[in-house]
Amino acid sequence: MCDMFNKAILQKISDYLWEIPQSYRKDMKVPARVYISQEMINTTEEEAFQQLVNLATLPGVQKYSLAMPDIHTGYASPIGGVVAIDSKEGIISPGLCGYDINCGMRLLLSSLTLSEIDSYIDKLASALQKEVPSGLGRGRKNKLSLLEIDKILEGGAERIVEQGYGVLEDLKHCEAGGKLEWANAQLVSKHAKERGRDQVGTLGSGNHFLEIQVVEEIYNSKIAQVFGLFKNQIVIMIHTGSRGLGHQVCTDYLKLMISALPKYKISVPDKEFACVPFSSPEGKKYFQAMAAAANFAWANRQSISYYVRNAWKKVVGNSGSRLKLLYDVAHNIIKREVYVIKGEKKEVLVHRKGATRAFPPHHSEIPDDYKEAGQPVLIPGSMGTNSFVLAGIPSGEQSFYSTCHGSGRVMSRHKARKILSASAILSSLRQKGIIVKCRSQKGITEEAPQAYKDIQQVIEVVHRAGLSIKVARLRPIAVIKGE
Amino acid sequence: MGYSWKYLEHPADIKVEVKADSLRDLFKGALKTLAEILHPENLQTEESITQELNISSLNQEVLLVDFLNEVLTFSDIYNAIFDRVEFKVFEPQRLRAIIKGKRVKSFREEIKGVTYHGISIKKEDNHWRAILLLDV
């Protein structure tokens, strides 16, 4: 472990971009950069910056190690960390994707306004809580066969839609079509598959949630129109990932890579950074297994959408029309992408750990109907605070087309439990007109707004720094949480 | 066996310190710590469960993390809390053990993984001490 970081080392590039020079530590291969305001630097813990420095030491790292304004301490990379690694000569690292592979966001749009549905909100929130298991060990009643899990691992959201639990348009509006083609189910352990058998269509706990929200403000009417967003519209946001299956893939491959470190003579500042050359057999295997877990996460969010649509139909009825998928995007993932670096096109592995891809207009990997607008980016706030829809823009290339992923914690879960009162939080949310469905007090105190950075500040930084632009602000009216 | 544990501050995840009289008890204490963090109130069933583990690792610290991760795996698969362990083999880089526990209806905490971040096992005076970071 390294000495504590001194924030005075940070050099200001602009109001929203700061740099830690390569000379700060002799093992740094590139400088480290963080998109953040002066005010937010003051509230970010030193260890998070130290972890950003660690990212800059990785073999094959290109240009800079980066952090988004929601940066906070993680366990290898800081949360909010982005690093692009040369795919020919660099490494791949499971710890930089994390345990919740393809944790991500999905937003479903209704055609109704708040005034049209106001009297149904409580009933709808209860129906959503009933339809989608949210807690711990609360899997679905029927376990899928291992054969079906294999099909999901290789088919992703497509496998779920094929079975009638969605429409083709859903797939067009998913990152990568909801399926990474290079996934290989055979490289996912039986333990991982066993863990996933009752978890397709489940929310999980912690900061995962379902929210009924209303579009409170439109910042960019042209892009909002393309995305199908309008003021006072009711939308439903889903935040979850690959559940126990994904956790097991990360655990399995970290163990493999720790044992392979001596073989490849790689030295890392922390074992959680364990990595191997991407071109090695272990590296290729992990990339295919990670893709399978990512596909499982897309299948999970697609299945949840099916249950959400069922609940919607039961409560609102057919007049409510179908919930349309705006977009589904990951914020914990490793992707192959091409950038011009030092005048040459280079393929890199972009590791995003708590960061969201934000491709600009006309990028080949975004849906045809969003080509002029840019990729939708979905940023959740903390419980009871605003969420945002952003869009990718050309100047986002500076951060390998990455932007923030949420608020970022500032208070430990343990401290939140000790000093905050669930009943006071619930009362404050009720006063704001927000319904909360959560089976445990612990889930409410740990995820209280006071435990997080101010989402508005995070969004202002990425907007002003040119990583993505604001399209709409969403206000929660009902929160369904895990425990 | 004698062991104790406490939470340490961490902004996002769960960091704990476990202390025990011997190295073997440190592993047992870490298992019990995991069980206490996972354990729900009044939701255990009477159905007992046992599971055999056989783990080889790079060193003792990695072995502790691998041991706890294996326990988490079986907790998730069987919806069970394991709080007792009987070591058949206990070596610096290898262990074989039977873990015992009870099935539960739900967990209090979802632990995604026991990380290797900052893992340390140290002998201090007359006890052993481990620091663990759990991703939640």
Side-chain angles (χ1 to χ4, degrees):
Chain A
M1 297 302 290
C2 303
D3 296 337
M4 193 52 81
F5 183 78
N6 179 355
K7 289 180 187 174
I9 300 293
L10 286 162
Q11 294 178 358
K12 188 173 179 177
I13 306 284
S14 73
D15 284 349
Y16 303 104
L17 178 59
W18 299 71
E19 183 170 295
I20 303 163
Q22 194 179 336
S23 57
Y24 169 66
R25 227 170 68 190
K26 63 181 179 185
D27 57 345
M28 286 173 76
K29 294 182 172 63
V30 292
R33 286 188 161 192
V34 53
Y35 292 90
I36 200 164
S37 64
Q38 173 75 64
E39 191 184 344
M40 295 176 82
I41 289 174
N42 298 338
T43 57
T44 301
E45 60 278 12
E46 284 82 2
E47 193 179 351
F49 294 106
Q50 194 67 61
Q51 292 182 343
L52 174 62
V53 169
N54 288 343
L55 283 185
T57 69
L58 294 170
V61 57
Q62 300 293 304
K63 290 175 83 171
Y64 317 99
S65 65
L66 295 167
M68 302 296 121
D70 45 341
I71 178 175
H72 62 85
T73 305
Y75 39 81
S77 169
I79 310 303
V82 177
V83 67
I85 308 271
D86 183 337
S87 68
K88 282 193 186 132
E89 295 175 7
I91 54 86
I92 186 165
S93 172
L96 305 190
C97 176
Y99 290 85
D100 198 355
I101 295 167
N102 188 5
C103 185
M105 306 303 306
R106 173 176 277 233
L107 192 68
L108 297 166
L109 310 182
S110 82
S111 57
L112 301 181
T113 61
L114 178 58
S115 59
E116 290 172 304
I117 198 183
D118 210 6
S119 56
Y120 296 99
I121 298 296
D122 201 332
K123 205 172 166 192
L124 181 59
S126 297
L128 288 172
Q129 189 182 30
K130 192 176 163 202
E131 288 279 337
V132 184
S134 59
L136 307 165
R138 292 184 198 274
R140 299 212 73 89
K141 281 179 187 155
N142 298 325
K143 282 195 172 193
L144 299 176
S145 68
L146 290 176
L147 183 66
E148 182 54 32
I149 292 292
D150 280 353
K151 287 180 179 169
I152 287 170
L153 290 172
E154 295 190 356
E158 188 179 287
R159 174 68 188 164
I160 306 301
V161 170
E162 271 170 13
Q163 293 175 303
Y165 303 116
V167 292
L168 283 177
E169 193 195 44
D170 293 345
L171 302 178
K172 284 184 196 160
H173 285 181
C174 269
E175 174 179 344
K179 170 188 168 182
L180 298 177
E181 295 284 348
W182 63 90
N184 184 343
Q186 301 316 307
L187 297 173
V188 174
S189 70
K190 186 159 181 285
H191 279 165
K193 293 174 188 176
E194 285 288 354
R195 290 178 75 168
R197 285 179 64 193
D198 61 353
Q199 293 180 337
V200 180
T202 65
L203 205 53
S205 71
N207 60 359
H208 294 159
F209 67 79
L210 266 173
E211 272 188 7
I212 307 170
Q213 304 167 335
V214 61
V215 178
E216 187 175 62
E217 182 75 45
I218 298 286
Y219 299 106
N220 187 315
S221 54
K222 199 173 160 193
I223 297 178
Q225 194 177 7
V226 175
F227 288 172
L229 291 164
F230 56 88
K231 204 165 174 186
N232 294 322
Q233 179 184 19
I234 292 291
V235 300
I236 296 180
M237 183 172 263
I238 300 165
H239 177 204
T240 189
S242 51
R243 311 292 317 317
L245 182 141
H247 310 165
Q248 189 68 41
V249 168
C250 181
T251 297
D252 290 341
Y253 280 89
L254 264 175
K255 182 167 164 57
L256 177 75
M257 290 194 188
I258 283 176
S259 61
L261 282 172
K263 177 177 160 189
Y264 295 109
K265 298 184 174 65
I266 293 175
S267 140
V268 286
D270 186 295
K271 285 206 169 54
E272 201 66 22
F273 270 110
C275 54
V276 293
F278 178 52
S279 56
S280 69
E282 294 91 341
K284 286 178 185 162
K285 280 181 187 171
Y286 167 66
F287 194 52
Q288 292 173 82
M290 181 219 68
N295 286 350
F296 186 85
W298 275 308
N300 188 27
R301 291 197 288 273
Q302 182 64 39
S303 298
I304 288 174
S305 303
Y306 170 76
Y307 297 116
V308 167
R309 284 166 169 159
N310 269 356
W312 176 267
K313 201 172 168 185
K314 273 182 200 165
V315 175
V316 183
N318 289 328
S319 62
S321 75
R322 197 177 62 78
L323 294 169
K324 179 180 172 251
L325 176 56
L326 169 65
Y327 203 60
D328 179 311
V329 64
H331 50 230
N332 284 353
I333 201 159
I334 302 172
K335 300 289 283 289
R336 272 175 148 153
E337 292 168 15
V338 175
Y339 292 91
V340 175
I341 296 169
K342 290 180 184 166
E344 285 180 26
K345 273 192 175 178
K346 189 176 254 188
E347 186 190 71
V348 290
L349 288 175
V350 183
H351 293 59
R352 294 188 179 93
K353 176 75 184 87
T356 314
R357 192 190 74 175
F359 279 153
H362 303 291
H363 192 284
S364 60
E365 285 194 47
I366 59 177
D368 288 343
D369 45 350
Y370 298 153
K371 278 278 189 262
E372 300 294 327
Q375 180 209 302
V377 174
L378 310 172
I379 308 298
S382 54
M383 184 172 62
T385 66
N386 291 122
S387 293
F388 289 80
V389 178
L390 313 178
I393 48 177
S395 56
E397 191 175 6
Q398 60 181 304
S399 60
F400 300 101
Y401 294 126
S402 306
T403 189
C404 60
H405 88 304
S407 303
R409 286 195 81 95
V410 286
M411 187 191 294
S412 73
R413 294 168 201 268
H414 178 54
K415 189 173 176 186
R417 281 206 304 272
K418 264 174 42 181
I419 70 168
L420 302 175
S421 140
S423 58
I425 295 162
L426 283 174
S427 161
S428 154
L429 293 173
R430 263 196 298 272
Q431 278 173 10
K432 291 182 193 164
I434 302 168
I435 298 163
V436 179
K437 302 280 180 188
C438 181
R439 290 190 175 92
S440 87
Q441 295 206 336
K442 175 182 157 296
I444 290 165
T445 49
E446 287 187 357
E447 297 302 319
Q450 298 93 314
Y452 285 86
K453 290 182 188 179
D454 178 354
I455 186 73
Q456 306 269 3
Q457 287 187 15
V458 171
I459 297 297
E460 282 309 314
V461 170
V462 296
H463 179 82
R464 289 170 193 262
L467 306 189
S468 49
I469 53 167
K470 295 189 287 186
V471 178
R473 187 174 74 233
L474 316 173
R475 177 169 58 84
I477 50 177
V479 184
I480 295 97
K481 287 198 67 65
E483 289 161 50
Chain B
M1 61 162 283
Y3 86 100
S4 65
W5 73 276
K6 66 176 182 184
Y7 285 109
L8 302 177
E9 274 302 307
H10 190 275
D13 295 309
I14 292 180
K15 194 173 185 179
V16 293
E17 177 193 73
V18 185
K19 285 182 180 176
D21 300 338
S22 70
L23 195 52
R24 193 181 278 245
D25 282 351
L26 188 73
F27 274 60
K28 286 184 180 178
L31 173 78
K32 283 182 176 288
T33 300
L34 200 61
E36 285 183 48
I37 293 170
L38 287 171
H39 204 294
E41 283 166 20
N42 306 320
L43 283 172
Q44 71 271 32
T45 68
E46 288 308 309
E47 193 182 344
S48 297
I49 181 166
T50 60
Q51 183 66 45
E52 191 173 339
L53 307 182
N54 197 347
I55 305 167
S56 297
S57 300
L58 193 67
N59 60 38
Q60 196 122 49
E61 290 168 336
V62 175
L63 184 66
L64 175 59
V65 174
D66 291 344
F67 166 60
L68 297 173
N69 273 323
E70 191 95 344
V71 173
L72 272 185
T73 298
F74 289 113
S75 285
D76 199 23
I77 292 174
Y78 297 115
N79 266 2
I81 303 276
F82 296 96
D83 58 358
R84 283 160 293 151
V85 57
E86 190 184 319
F87 292 110
K88 304 286 184 191
V89 174
F90 188 81
E91 295 172 356
Q93 292 173 282
R94 190 168 83 88
L95 65 80
R96 197 158 66 77
I98 307 281
I99 52 171
K100 296 174 183 176
K102 287 214 159 121
R103 286 185 182 259
V104 292
K105 291 174 188 161
S106 162
F107 299 107
R108 190 173 67 173
E109 192 76 67
E110 183 174 39
I111 300 174
K112 294 174 184 170
V114 180
T115 76
Y116 299 95
H117 177 63
I119 170 72
S120 78
I121 297 180
K122 282 185 182 148
K123 181 148 192 331
E124 293 176 343
D125 302 326
N126 56 353
H127 65 262
W128 288 81
R129 177 174 176 261
I131 304 283
L132 294 163
L133 182 70
L134 319 177
D135 182 10
V136 293

